[in-house]
Amino acid sequence: MEERKPKYRRIVLKISGEALAGPSGFGIDFNVLDSIARQVKDVHDKKVQVSMVVGGGNFWRGAKGEAYGMDRAVSDYMGMLATVINCMALQERLEKLGLETRLMTSIEMREVAEPYIRRKAIHHLDMGRVVIFGAGSGNPYFSTDTTAALRAAEIGADIILMAKRGTDGVYDSDPNVNPDARRFTRLDYMDLIQKQLKVMDATATTLCMDNRIPMIVFDIDIYGNIERAVMGEEIGTYVGRD
Ligand code: UDP
């Protein structure tokens, strides 16, 4: 029997810091980390080009410092540095599984990562390397969701896979509060803005919309979901326009 081909050829996998923290909500949970690394290997084995944008909320968020009177830009740079800790952990796990990887950061830190250069990132992907984008966009006042949209547009990714923890898609109300909450299977970008659905910030949403980059919001805690999404199985919530 002929093996099924992946639906998406080049992906941006967005992993939030919260997802990496696991149940404790802080730091890095190695069970989660290993599960993500193995899932990435599974799709890489299917010849999918995988790039990743990793958040930092499990260590620091810009808004936290601001709440204590800290300069927002300083606090945001701290958040961007926090993402690099997560990226390095992921890179190490992926390489332990035998994958070739490159960590590229938007803030230069030559001892641990390559500086982000768009054409180099594309070359790495073409060579079969998993590319991890660290330090967000390098700019304060942005988020790693916006970074995922930006990098996806730059490298011509087919889809953004938005890995969430504790939720399997986008709901019309909070399923933890409302037992009748309904999960959307499909949404348009405008729905996220008009219905004020808290999936990603408005900047990230409009960037995806303007550049017609679809995304799938799904639960990372269920092993195999990255592969299911990549193979075109209907999981979570698809956001896009046909
Ligand atoms: N950040 C930033 N610019 C970026 C990306 C991230 O200033 O381009 C900062 C921001 O303070 C943010 C923090 O880094 O709160 C961590 O990123 P994010 O909150 O997006 O991580 P996640 O929620 O995905 O864990």
Side-chain angles (χ1 to χ4, degrees):
M1 207 175 77
E2 202 187 320
E3 213 192 334
R4 274 196 308 140
K5 286 209 167 63
K7 182 169 181 191
Y8 305 108
R9 191 184 50 88
R10 179 178 286 172
I11 64 168
V12 171
L13 176 63
K14 163 71 210 296
I15 308 282
S16 68
E18 198 187 12
L20 280 179
S24 83
F26 187 83
I28 296 172
D29 181 317
F30 272 78
N31 290 325
V32 177
L33 194 66
D34 283 333
S35 164
I36 294 172
R38 280 187 285 120
Q39 292 189 65
V40 167
K41 184 172 184 332
D42 289 345
V43 294
H44 181 270
D45 286 349
K46 291 193 171 310
K47 306 275 180 282
V48 175
Q49 295 188 0
V50 184
S51 70
M52 303 174 79
V53 171
V54 186
N58 53 330
F59 289 118
W60 189 260
R61 269 181 220 282
K64 184 173 177 180
E66 197 178 35
Y68 287 90
M70 192 181 237
D71 186 288
R72 179 65 192 242
V74 174
S75 194
D76 277 341
Y77 278 113
M78 289 168 67
M80 285 185 264
L81 297 185
T83 71
V84 182
I85 298 176
N86 290 331
C87 290
M88 290 177 69
L90 258 172
Q91 179 178 39
E92 197 275 345
R93 292 285 106 170
L94 289 167
E95 297 218 317
K96 280 269 155 62
L97 294 177
L99 291 172
E100 211 184 324
T101 69
R102 291 290 186 276
L103 171 55
M104 305 188 101
T105 54
S106 312
I107 295 172
E108 260 202 65
M109 28 186 109
R110 279 189 285 172
E111 284 76 6
V112 294
E114 290 182 8
Y116 170 68
I117 298 168
R118 174 181 167 269
R119 292 171 69 104
K120 262 196 151 184
I122 293 169
H123 176 71
H124 289 321
L125 289 169
D126 285 337
M127 296 300 285
R129 296 166 189 144
V130 175
V131 177
I132 307 170
F133 297 121
S137 65
N139 303 295
Y141 304 101
F142 287 90
S143 67
T144 50
D145 286 348
T146 305
T147 309
L150 179 65
R151 296 289 179 252
E154 284 186 272
I155 66 168
D158 303 314
I159 192 127
I160 299 174
L161 300 185
M162 289 279 276
K164 296 277 177 188
R165 161 154 217 287
T167 176
D168 62 350
V170 186
Y171 283 78
D172 58 0
S173 58
D174 187 348
N176 298 316
V177 180
N178 176 11
D180 296 326
R182 275 184 341 113
R183 176 166 59 83
F184 297 106
T185 51
R186 252 187 135 74
L187 284 171
D188 188 277
Y189 307 102
M190 279 314 281
D191 294 326
L192 297 189
I193 296 171
Q194 280 163 358
K195 296 191 204 316
Q196 297 192 347
L197 299 168
K198 290 189 179 62
V199 179
M200 60 195 329
D201 53 85
T203 315
T205 307
T206 47
L207 206 51
C208 286
M209 182 167 69
D210 291 348
N211 295 288
R212 294 186 169 259
I213 305 158
M215 68 183 143
I216 298 171
V217 182
F218 71 103
D219 187 355
I220 189 71
D221 274 352
I222 299 173
Y223 192 91
N225 262 355
I226 299 177
E227 185 170 342
R228 286 184 197 100
V230 159
M231 296 309 288
E233 274 181 47
E234 290 202 359
I235 61 160
T237 303
Y238 178 93
V239 184
R241 198 170 281 171
D242 288 318

mmCIF file of all heavy atoms in Angstrom, residues 141-188:
data_model
loop_
_atom_site.group_PDB
_atom_site.id
_atom_site.type_symbol
_atom_site.label_atom_id
_atom_site.label_comp_id
_atom_site.label_asym_id
_atom_site.label_seq_id
_atom_site.Cartn_x
_atom_site.Cartn_y
_atom_site.Cartn_z
ATOM 1 N N TYR A 141 7.295 44.771 22.553
ATOM 2 C CA TYR A 141 5.890 45.074 22.211
ATOM 3 C C TYR A 141 5.293 44.078 21.227
ATOM 4 O O TYR A 141 4.225 44.296 20.683
ATOM 5 C CB TYR A 141 5.710 46.512 21.686
ATOM 6 C CG TYR A 141 6.218 47.547 22.658
ATOM 7 C CD1 TYR A 141 7.460 48.147 22.474
ATOM 8 C CD2 TYR A 141 5.476 47.877 23.784
ATOM 9 C CE1 TYR A 141 7.959 49.067 23.385
ATOM 10 C CE2 TYR A 141 5.959 48.799 24.700
ATOM 11 C CZ TYR A 141 7.205 49.388 24.490
ATOM 12 O OH TYR A 141 7.685 50.286 25.397
ATOM 13 N N PHE A 142 6.017 42.988 20.954
ATOM 14 C CA PHE A 142 5.452 41.943 20.096
ATOM 15 C C PHE A 142 5.370 40.646 20.896
ATOM 16 O O PHE A 142 5.810 40.590 22.029
ATOM 17 C CB PHE A 142 6.300 41.757 18.834
ATOM 18 C CG PHE A 142 6.139 42.880 17.857
ATOM 19 C CD1 PHE A 142 6.953 43.993 17.907
ATOM 20 C CD2 PHE A 142 5.146 42.830 16.881
ATOM 21 C CE1 PHE A 142 6.791 45.053 17.014
ATOM 22 C CE2 PHE A 142 4.975 43.869 15.985
ATOM 23 C CZ PHE A 142 5.794 44.982 16.053
ATOM 24 N N SER A 143 4.808 39.613 20.272
ATOM 25 C CA SER A 143 4.671 38.328 20.969
ATOM 26 C C SER A 143 5.295 37.230 20.105
ATOM 27 O O SER A 143 5.613 37.456 18.935
ATOM 28 C CB SER A 143 3.189 38.011 21.174
ATOM 29 O OG SER A 143 2.601 37.769 19.909
ATOM 30 N N THR A 144 5.424 36.061 20.687
ATOM 31 C CA THR A 144 5.945 34.958 19.874
ATOM 32 C C THR A 144 4.871 34.445 18.899
ATOM 33 O O THR A 144 5.213 33.805 17.909
ATOM 34 C CB THR A 144 6.471 33.810 20.761
ATOM 35 O OG1 THR A 144 5.485 33.467 21.729
ATOM 36 C CG2 THR A 144 7.755 34.215 21.462
ATOM 37 N N ASP A 145 3.590 34.742 19.173
ATOM 38 C CA ASP A 145 2.553 34.412 18.179
ATOM 39 C C ASP A 145 2.763 35.256 16.922
ATOM 40 O O ASP A 145 2.684 34.759 15.795
ATOM 41 C CB ASP A 145 1.148 34.677 18.739
ATOM 42 C CG ASP A 145 0.732 33.622 19.753
ATOM 43 O OD1 ASP A 145 1.420 32.587 19.852
ATOM 44 O OD2 ASP A 145 -0.274 33.832 20.446
ATOM 45 N N THR A 146 3.034 36.536 17.136
ATOM 46 C CA THR A 146 3.316 37.410 15.990
ATOM 47 C C THR A 146 4.571 36.937 15.270
ATOM 48 O O THR A 146 4.640 36.940 14.039
ATOM 49 C CB THR A 146 3.479 38.877 16.461
ATOM 50 O OG1 THR A 146 2.304 39.237 17.181
ATOM 51 C CG2 THR A 146 3.657 39.817 15.288
ATOM 52 N N THR A 147 5.558 36.499 16.058
ATOM 53 C CA THR A 147 6.792 35.983 15.451
ATOM 54 C C THR A 147 6.483 34.770 14.571
ATOM 55 O O THR A 147 7.025 34.647 13.467
ATOM 56 C CB THR A 147 7.801 35.572 16.549
ATOM 57 O OG1 THR A 147 7.948 36.643 17.469
ATOM 58 C CG2 THR A 147 9.143 35.202 15.946
ATOM 59 N N ALA A 148 5.607 33.897 15.061
ATOM 60 C CA ALA A 148 5.257 32.702 14.278
ATOM 61 C C ALA A 148 4.631 33.109 12.939
ATOM 62 O O ALA A 148 4.967 32.557 11.888
ATOM 63 C CB ALA A 148 4.294 31.818 15.070
ATOM 64 N N ALA A 149 3.744 34.112 12.990
ATOM 65 C CA ALA A 149 3.103 34.594 11.763
ATOM 66 C C ALA A 149 4.135 35.225 10.826
ATOM 67 O O ALA A 149 4.131 34.981 9.608
ATOM 68 C CB ALA A 149 2.017 35.602 12.114
ATOM 69 N N LEU A 150 5.016 36.008 11.410
ATOM 70 C CA LEU A 150 6.057 36.688 10.630
ATOM 71 C C LEU A 150 7.000 35.691 9.951
ATOM 72 O O LEU A 150 7.236 35.754 8.735
ATOM 73 C CB LEU A 150 6.848 37.603 11.581
ATOM 74 C CG LEU A 150 8.008 38.408 11.025
ATOM 75 C CD1 LEU A 150 7.518 39.438 10.024
ATOM 76 C CD2 LEU A 150 8.741 39.120 12.184
ATOM 77 N N ARG A 151 7.505 34.752 10.727
ATOM 78 C CA ARG A 151 8.437 33.758 10.157
ATOM 79 C C ARG A 151 7.729 32.879 9.128
ATOM 80 O O ARG A 151 8.303 32.535 8.093
ATOM 81 C CB ARG A 151 9.045 32.889 11.266
ATOM 82 C CG ARG A 151 9.919 33.636 12.248
ATOM 83 C CD ARG A 151 11.237 34.084 11.626
ATOM 84 N NE ARG A 151 12.040 34.817 12.600
ATOM 85 C CZ ARG A 151 12.260 36.129 12.576
ATOM 86 N NH1 ARG A 151 11.758 36.874 11.602
ATOM 87 N NH2 ARG A 151 13.001 36.718 13.499
ATOM 88 N N ALA A 152 6.474 32.535 9.407
ATOM 89 C CA ALA A 152 5.726 31.701 8.446
ATOM 90 C C ALA A 152 5.609 32.420 7.112
ATOM 91 O O ALA A 152 5.795 31.812 6.047
ATOM 92 C CB ALA A 152 4.339 31.375 9.009
ATOM 93 N N ALA A 153 5.325 33.740 7.175
ATOM 94 C CA ALA A 153 5.220 34.516 5.933
ATOM 95 C C ALA A 153 6.574 34.576 5.238
ATOM 96 O O ALA A 153 6.677 34.372 4.023
ATOM 97 C CB ALA A 153 4.718 35.924 6.251
ATOM 98 N N GLU A 154 7.622 34.813 6.010
ATOM 99 C CA GLU A 154 8.959 34.976 5.426
ATOM 100 C C GLU A 154 9.471 33.710 4.737
ATOM 101 O O GLU A 154 10.092 33.780 3.685
ATOM 102 C CB GLU A 154 9.958 35.346 6.527
ATOM 103 C CG GLU A 154 9.877 36.762 7.005
ATOM 104 C CD GLU A 154 10.999 37.034 7.980
ATOM 105 O OE1 GLU A 154 10.810 36.786 9.192
ATOM 106 O OE2 GLU A 154 12.068 37.467 7.558
ATOM 107 N N ILE A 155 9.241 32.577 5.374
ATOM 108 C CA ILE A 155 9.809 31.336 4.817
ATOM 109 C C ILE A 155 8.810 30.611 3.920
ATOM 110 O O ILE A 155 9.110 29.544 3.397
ATOM 111 C CB ILE A 155 10.314 30.375 5.927
ATOM 112 C CG1 ILE A 155 9.152 29.856 6.780
ATOM 113 C CG2 ILE A 155 11.396 31.035 6.769
ATOM 114 C CD1 ILE A 155 9.536 28.699 7.704
ATOM 115 N N GLY A 156 7.626 31.189 3.756
ATOM 116 C CA GLY A 156 6.626 30.554 2.883
ATOM 117 C C GLY A 156 6.094 29.244 3.453
ATOM 118 O O GLY A 156 5.948 28.260 2.719
ATOM 119 N N ALA A 157 5.816 29.247 4.748
ATOM 120 C CA ALA A 157 5.275 28.018 5.378
ATOM 121 C C ALA A 157 3.837 27.794 4.913
ATOM 122 O O ALA A 157 3.108 28.748 4.621
ATOM 123 C CB ALA A 157 5.328 28.145 6.897
ATOM 124 N N ASP A 158 3.435 26.537 4.852
ATOM 125 C CA ASP A 158 2.074 26.204 4.418
ATOM 126 C C ASP A 158 1.063 26.386 5.532
ATOM 127 O O ASP A 158 -0.116 26.578 5.275
ATOM 128 C CB ASP A 158 2.007 24.736 3.959
ATOM 129 C CG ASP A 158 3.004 24.471 2.852
ATOM 130 O OD1 ASP A 158 3.063 25.291 1.930
ATOM 131 O OD2 ASP A 158 3.724 23.448 2.931
ATOM 132 N N ILE A 159 1.535 26.283 6.764
ATOM 133 C CA ILE A 159 0.601 26.336 7.896
ATOM 134 C C ILE A 159 1.351 26.644 9.191
ATOM 135 O O ILE A 159 2.545 26.334 9.311
ATOM 136 C CB ILE A 159 -0.169 24.985 8.036
ATOM 137 C CG1 ILE A 159 -1.342 25.111 9.004
ATOM 138 C CG2 ILE A 159 0.755 23.853 8.493
ATOM 139 C CD1 ILE A 159 -2.639 24.665 8.454
ATOM 140 N N ILE A 160 0.622 27.239 10.126
ATOM 141 C CA ILE A 160 1.142 27.384 11.492
ATOM 142 C C ILE A 160 0.369 26.414 12.373
ATOM 143 O O ILE A 160 -0.863 26.418 12.379
ATOM 144 C CB ILE A 160 0.929 28.818 12.042
ATOM 145 C CG1 ILE A 160 1.659 29.843 11.175
ATOM 146 C CG2 ILE A 160 1.410 28.910 13.499
ATOM 147 C CD1 ILE A 160 1.366 31.289 11.570
ATOM 148 N N LEU A 161 1.086 25.572 13.068
ATOM 149 C CA LEU A 161 0.432 24.667 14.028
ATOM 150 C C LEU A 161 0.599 25.277 15.412
ATOM 151 O O LEU A 161 1.707 25.363 15.936
ATOM 152 C CB LEU A 161 1.066 23.272 13.973
ATOM 153 C CG LEU A 161 0.995 22.542 12.628
ATOM 154 C CD1 LEU A 161 1.562 21.133 12.764
ATOM 155 C CD2 LEU A 161 -0.436 22.491 12.107
ATOM 156 N N MET A 162 -0.530 25.740 15.962
ATOM 157 C CA MET A 162 -0.515 26.414 17.267
ATOM 158 C C MET A 162 -0.779 25.402 18.366
ATOM 159 O O MET A 162 -1.931 25.028 18.623
ATOM 160 C CB MET A 162 -1.619 27.469 17.321
ATOM 161 C CG MET A 162 -1.354 28.667 16.467
ATOM 162 S SD MET A 162 -0.239 29.799 17.300
ATOM 163 C CE MET A 162 -1.378 30.664 18.290
ATOM 164 N N ALA A 163 0.298 24.951 18.993
ATOM 165 C CA ALA A 163 0.160 23.928 20.026
ATOM 166 C C ALA A 163 -0.318 24.540 21.335
ATOM 167 O O ALA A 163 0.299 25.473 21.851
ATOM 168 C CB ALA A 163 1.515 23.244 20.231
ATOM 169 N N LYS A 164 -1.436 24.031 21.839
ATOM 170 C CA LYS A 164 -1.977 24.535 23.106
ATOM 171 C C LYS A 164 -1.943 23.430 24.147
ATOM 172 O O LYS A 164 -1.906 22.247 23.813
ATOM 173 C CB LYS A 164 -3.429 24.977 22.920
ATOM 174 C CG LYS A 164 -3.595 26.148 21.979
ATOM 175 C CD LYS A 164 -3.343 27.451 22.698
ATOM 176 C CE LYS A 164 -3.423 28.629 21.738
ATOM 177 N NZ LYS A 164 -3.010 29.881 22.311
ATOM 178 N N ARG A 165 -1.973 23.835 25.381
ATOM 179 C CA ARG A 165 -2.009 22.851 26.461
ATOM 180 C C ARG A 165 -3.318 23.034 27.221
ATOM 181 O O ARG A 165 -3.712 24.141 27.541
ATOM 182 C CB ARG A 165 -0.783 23.103 27.348
ATOM 183 C CG ARG A 165 -0.872 22.534 28.653
ATOM 184 C CD ARG A 165 0.432 22.214 29.293
ATOM 185 N NE ARG A 165 0.169 20.989 30.007
ATOM 186 C CZ ARG A 165 -0.553 20.950 31.116
ATOM 187 N NH1 ARG A 165 -1.053 22.035 31.634
ATOM 188 N NH2 ARG A 165 -0.778 19.786 31.696
ATOM 189 N N GLY A 166 -4.011 21.928 27.438
ATOM 190 C CA GLY A 166 -5.239 21.989 28.231
ATOM 191 C C GLY A 166 -6.465 22.408 27.439
ATOM 192 O O GLY A 166 -7.538 22.574 27.997
ATOM 193 N N THR A 167 -6.326 22.589 26.140
ATOM 194 C CA THR A 167 -7.496 22.870 25.301
ATOM 195 C C THR A 167 -7.239 22.293 23.909
ATOM 196 O O THR A 167 -6.108 22.305 23.432
ATOM 197 C CB THR A 167 -7.810 24.381 25.229
ATOM 198 O OG1 THR A 167 -8.900 24.571 24.333
ATOM 199 C CG2 THR A 167 -6.632 25.192 24.720
ATOM 200 N N ASP A 168 -8.304 21.763 23.311
ATOM 201 C CA ASP A 168 -8.107 21.079 22.023
ATOM 202 C C ASP A 168 -8.628 21.906 20.845
ATOM 203 O O ASP A 168 -8.976 21.369 19.812
ATOM 204 C CB ASP A 168 -8.775 19.694 22.052
ATOM 205 C CG ASP A 168 -10.277 19.794 22.269
ATOM 206 O OD1 ASP A 168 -10.759 20.899 22.573
ATOM 207 O OD2 ASP A 168 -10.964 18.763 22.128
ATOM 208 N N GLY A 169 -8.700 23.216 21.022
ATOM 209 C CA GLY A 169 -9.122 24.067 19.919
ATOM 210 C C GLY A 169 -9.703 25.369 20.426
ATOM 211 O O GLY A 169 -9.468 25.761 21.571
ATOM 212 N N VAL A 170 -10.451 26.032 19.547
ATOM 213 C CA VAL A 170 -11.044 27.322 19.897
ATOM 214 C C VAL A 170 -12.515 27.113 20.226
ATOM 215 O O VAL A 170 -13.244 26.492 19.451
ATOM 216 C CB VAL A 170 -10.910 28.320 18.727
ATOM 217 C CG1 VAL A 170 -11.392 29.703 19.152
ATOM 218 C CG2 VAL A 170 -9.478 28.380 18.215
ATOM 219 N N TYR A 171 -12.953 27.609 21.364
ATOM 220 C CA TYR A 171 -14.339 27.438 21.837
ATOM 221 C C TYR A 171 -15.100 28.764 21.832
ATOM 222 O O TYR A 171 -14.480 29.846 21.865
ATOM 223 C CB TYR A 171 -14.323 26.868 23.257
ATOM 224 C CG TYR A 171 -14.026 25.382 23.313
ATOM 225 C CD1 TYR A 171 -12.726 24.915 23.178
ATOM 226 C CD2 TYR A 171 -15.045 24.461 23.494
ATOM 227 C CE1 TYR A 171 -12.450 23.551 23.218
ATOM 228 C CE2 TYR A 171 -14.784 23.102 23.540
ATOM 229 C CZ TYR A 171 -13.477 22.647 23.400
ATOM 230 O OH TYR A 171 -13.216 21.306 23.440
ATOM 231 N N ASP A 172 -16.432 28.659 21.816
ATOM 232 C CA ASP A 172 -17.236 29.891 21.838
ATOM 233 C C ASP A 172 -17.293 30.509 23.236
ATOM 234 O O ASP A 172 -17.650 31.672 23.393
ATOM 235 C CB ASP A 172 -18.651 29.651 21.265
ATOM 236 C CG ASP A 172 -19.416 28.566 22.009
ATOM 237 O OD1 ASP A 172 -18.865 27.993 22.963
ATOM 238 O OD2 ASP A 172 -20.567 28.287 21.617
ATOM 239 N N SER A 173 -16.966 29.709 24.255
ATOM 240 C CA SER A 173 -16.794 30.251 25.608
ATOM 241 C C SER A 173 -15.836 29.310 26.341
ATOM 242 O O SER A 173 -15.499 28.243 25.822
ATOM 243 C CB SER A 173 -18.141 30.353 26.340
ATOM 244 O OG SER A 173 -18.754 29.086 26.401
ATOM 245 N N ASP A 174 -15.434 29.693 27.522
ATOM 246 C CA ASP A 174 -14.415 28.913 28.227
ATOM 247 C C ASP A 174 -14.964 27.545 28.660
ATOM 248 O O ASP A 174 -15.853 27.466 29.516
ATOM 249 C CB ASP A 174 -13.957 29.719 29.462
ATOM 250 C CG ASP A 174 -12.777 29.049 30.169
ATOM 251 O OD1 ASP A 174 -12.477 27.877 29.847
ATOM 252 O OD2 ASP A 174 -12.168 29.708 31.034
ATOM 253 N N PRO A 175 -14.457 26.451 28.082
ATOM 254 C CA PRO A 175 -14.989 25.129 28.417
ATOM 255 C C PRO A 175 -14.736 24.723 29.876
ATOM 256 O O PRO A 175 -15.417 23.848 30.404
ATOM 257 C CB PRO A 175 -14.248 24.187 27.453
ATOM 258 C CG PRO A 175 -13.077 24.946 26.967
ATOM 259 C CD PRO A 175 -13.375 26.408 27.100
ATOM 260 N N ASN A 176 -13.771 25.374 30.520
ATOM 261 C CA ASN A 176 -13.523 25.080 31.943
ATOM 262 C C ASN A 176 -14.592 25.700 32.837
ATOM 263 O O ASN A 176 -14.766 25.297 33.981
ATOM 264 C CB ASN A 176 -12.143 25.601 32.362
ATOM 265 C CG ASN A 176 -11.041 24.909 31.587
ATOM 266 O OD1 ASN A 176 -11.068 23.693 31.406
ATOM 267 N ND2 ASN A 176 -10.098 25.693 31.082
ATOM 268 N N VAL A 177 -15.283 26.692 32.291
ATOM 269 C CA VAL A 177 -16.317 27.386 33.058
ATOM 270 C C VAL A 177 -17.706 26.955 32.593
ATOM 271 O O VAL A 177 -18.587 26.674 33.402
ATOM 272 C CB VAL A 177 -16.154 28.927 32.911
ATOM 273 C CG1 VAL A 177 -17.242 29.658 33.703
ATOM 274 C CG2 VAL A 177 -14.769 29.371 33.354
ATOM 275 N N ASN A 178 -17.889 26.898 31.256
ATOM 276 C CA ASN A 178 -19.198 26.585 30.687
ATOM 277 C C ASN A 178 -19.219 25.162 30.107
ATOM 278 O O ASN A 178 -18.581 24.897 29.086
ATOM 279 C CB ASN A 178 -19.512 27.630 29.593
ATOM 280 C CG ASN A 178 -20.804 27.337 28.865
ATOM 281 O OD1 ASN A 178 -21.582 26.470 29.288
ATOM 282 N ND2 ASN A 178 -21.029 28.042 27.770
ATOM 283 N N PRO A 179 -19.950 24.227 30.735
ATOM 284 C CA PRO A 179 -19.956 22.840 30.241
ATOM 285 C C PRO A 179 -20.595 22.708 28.851
ATOM 286 O O PRO A 179 -20.367 21.712 28.161
ATOM 287 C CB PRO A 179 -20.787 22.088 31.294
ATOM 288 C CG PRO A 179 -21.474 23.116 32.115
ATOM 289 C CD PRO A 179 -20.769 24.406 31.944
ATOM 290 N N ASP A 180 -21.364 23.728 28.427
ATOM 291 C CA ASP A 180 -21.994 23.691 27.100
ATOM 292 C C ASP A 180 -21.156 24.395 26.031
ATOM 293 O O ASP A 180 -21.636 24.604 24.909
ATOM 294 C CB ASP A 180 -23.386 24.349 27.150
ATOM 295 C CG ASP A 180 -24.339 23.573 28.051
ATOM 296 O OD1 ASP A 180 -24.215 22.330 28.078
ATOM 297 O OD2 ASP A 180 -25.165 24.212 28.740
ATOM 298 N N ALA A 181 -19.950 24.767 26.372
ATOM 299 C CA ALA A 181 -19.097 25.463 25.401
ATOM 300 C C ALA A 181 -18.895 24.594 24.159
ATOM 301 O O ALA A 181 -18.734 23.381 24.274
ATOM 302 C CB ALA A 181 -17.753 25.789 26.049
ATOM 303 N N ARG A 182 -18.946 25.232 22.972
ATOM 304 C CA ARG A 182 -18.801 24.486 21.724
ATOM 305 C C ARG A 182 -17.462 24.795 21.067
ATOM 306 O O ARG A 182 -17.035 25.946 21.024
ATOM 307 C CB ARG A 182 -19.928 24.855 20.759
ATOM 308 C CG ARG A 182 -21.205 24.034 20.991
ATOM 309 C CD ARG A 182 -22.269 24.342 19.963
ATOM 310 N NE ARG A 182 -22.089 25.602 19.262
ATOM 311 C CZ ARG A 182 -21.797 25.712 17.964
ATOM 312 N NH1 ARG A 182 -21.643 24.646 17.225
ATOM 313 N NH2 ARG A 182 -21.677 26.897 17.407
ATOM 314 N N ARG A 183 -16.840 23.751 20.550
ATOM 315 C CA ARG A 183 -15.570 23.960 19.846
ATOM 316 C C ARG A 183 -15.859 24.237 18.373
ATOM 317 O O ARG A 183 -16.667 23.564 17.753
ATOM 318 C CB ARG A 183 -14.690 22.715 19.972
ATOM 319 C CG ARG A 183 -13.392 22.843 19.186
ATOM 320 C CD ARG A 183 -12.384 21.781 19.589
ATOM 321 N NE ARG A 183 -12.845 20.416 19.391
ATOM 322 C CZ ARG A 183 -12.778 19.777 18.220
ATOM 323 N NH1 ARG A 183 -12.277 20.354 17.155
ATOM 324 N NH2 ARG A 183 -13.217 18.538 18.131
ATOM 325 N N PHE A 184 -15.213 25.255 17.844
ATOM 326 C CA PHE A 184 -15.316 25.527 16.414
ATOM 327 C C PHE A 184 -14.398 24.563 15.670
ATOM 328 O O PHE A 184 -13.266 24.328 16.102
ATOM 329 C CB PHE A 184 -14.854 26.960 16.103
ATOM 330 C CG PHE A 184 -15.680 28.038 16.735
ATOM 331 C CD1 PHE A 184 -15.196 28.753 17.828
ATOM 332 C CD2 PHE A 184 -16.930 28.361 16.238
ATOM 333 C CE1 PHE A 184 -15.943 29.760 18.414
ATOM 334 C CE2 PHE A 184 -17.688 29.380 16.817
ATOM 335 C CZ PHE A 184 -17.196 30.074 17.903
ATOM 336 N N THR A 185 -14.863 24.022 14.564
ATOM 337 C CA THR A 185 -13.955 23.201 13.754
ATOM 338 C C THR A 185 -13.251 24.055 12.704
ATOM 339 O O THR A 185 -12.136 23.750 12.297
ATOM 340 C CB THR A 185 -14.707 22.050 13.056
ATOM 341 O OG1 THR A 185 -15.836 22.582 12.374
ATOM 342 C CG2 THR A 185 -15.157 20.999 14.051
ATOM 343 N N ARG A 186 -13.914 25.144 12.309
ATOM 344 C CA ARG A 186 -13.371 26.039 11.287
ATOM 345 C C ARG A 186 -13.732 27.467 11.602
ATOM 346 O O ARG A 186 -14.856 27.758 12.000
ATOM 347 C CB ARG A 186 -14.018 25.699 9.938
ATOM 348 C CG ARG A 186 -13.093 25.027 8.980
ATOM 349 C CD ARG A 186 -13.764 24.885 7.627
ATOM 350 N NE ARG A 186 -12.837 25.257 6.589
ATOM 351 C CZ ARG A 186 -11.832 24.502 6.210
ATOM 352 N NH1 ARG A 186 -11.626 23.331 6.760
ATOM 353 N NH2 ARG A 186 -11.003 24.904 5.260
ATOM 354 N N LEU A 187 -12.814 28.358 11.402
ATOM 355 C CA LEU A 187 -13.065 29.783 11.627
ATOM 356 C C LEU A 187 -12.349 30.600 10.568
ATOM 357 O O LEU A 187 -11.329 30.163 10.015
ATOM 358 C CB LEU A 187 -12.513 30.211 13.000
ATOM 359 C CG LEU A 187 -13.283 29.836 14.271
ATOM 360 C CD1 LEU A 187 -12.425 30.167 15.489
ATOM 361 C CD2 LEU A 187 -14.599 30.597 14.350
ATOM 362 N N ASP A 188 -12.874 31.793 10.325
ATOM 363 C CA ASP A 188 -12.153 32.746 9.482
ATOM 364 C C ASP A 188 -11.327 33.634 10.418
ATOM 365 O O ASP A 188 -11.676 33.793 11.592
ATOM 366 C CB ASP A 188 -13.162 33.599 8.701
ATOM 367 C CG ASP A 188 -12.465 34.459 7.664
ATOM 368 O OD1 ASP A 188 -11.960 35.550 8.015
ATOM 369 O OD2 ASP A 188 -12.402 34.020 6.506
#
